Amino acid sequence: MLTVVVDTNVILRYLLNDHPDWSIRAGVFWAKVSQGQQYAYLLEGVLVECVYVLLKVYHVPRTELANRLLNFLEMPGLKASSLPVLRDSLKLFRDHNVDVVDALLIATAQTNSWTVESFDHDLARLSQHESSSR
């Protein structure tokens, strides 16, 4: 089965259902992905862009945003370089009021038993906290 790399706008039109034509097309596409009839590949950068647009442009509350995207990541036909890292990132973003890129750094490091090198004191503190809680 063919895998399609998806752009941010296809996800946003599906989640927001705010465009008369594109939302319908996105809905048909994601219905196939959710049934495993179509494969869709999600880049980390696309997920990050979705978070920023939903948060900053559409003012979707952080918890709602993270939970909607976490549900979205459960589609059987969805692929990514590491879905567990993306899920962990969204949980950190939701639960610790941390920037989504910082959450992605921490989740990537933790998944691989690596450390994070940063001059961001909050990031270092959260990284240490998360390491000790696992």
Side-chain angles (χ1 to χ4, degrees), residues 9-70:
N9 55 39
V10 178
I11 298 169
L12 293 176
R13 298 297 67 86
Y14 172 71
L15 293 175
L16 296 168
N17 193 25
D18 63 348
H19 191 279
D21 298 322
W22 296 343
S23 293
I24 292 169
R25 288 174 50 192
V28 170
F29 174 78
W30 290 113
K32 291 178 184 175
V33 175
S34 70
Q35 296 166 8
Q37 299 170 346
Q38 169 71 58
Y39 290 132
Y41 190 87
L42 177 64
L43 296 168
E44 289 176 356
V46 169
L47 180 68
V48 168
E49 188 175 29
C50 282
V51 169
Y52 279 125
V53 170
L54 289 169
L55 192 65
K56 303 296 184 183
V57 176
Y58 291 95
H59 307 288
V60 177
R62 176 181 291 264
T63 300
E64 177 186 342
L65 181 163
N67 289 337
R68 288 177 74 184
L69 287 173
L70 282 164

Side-chain angles (χ1 to χ4, degrees), residues 47 70 73-74 82-92:
L47 180 68
L70 282 164
L73 293 180
E74 296 303 317
S82 178
L83 283 171
V85 168
L86 297 180
R87 285 185 196 102
D88 289 348
S89 299
L90 287 170
K91 290 173 187 174
L92 287 168

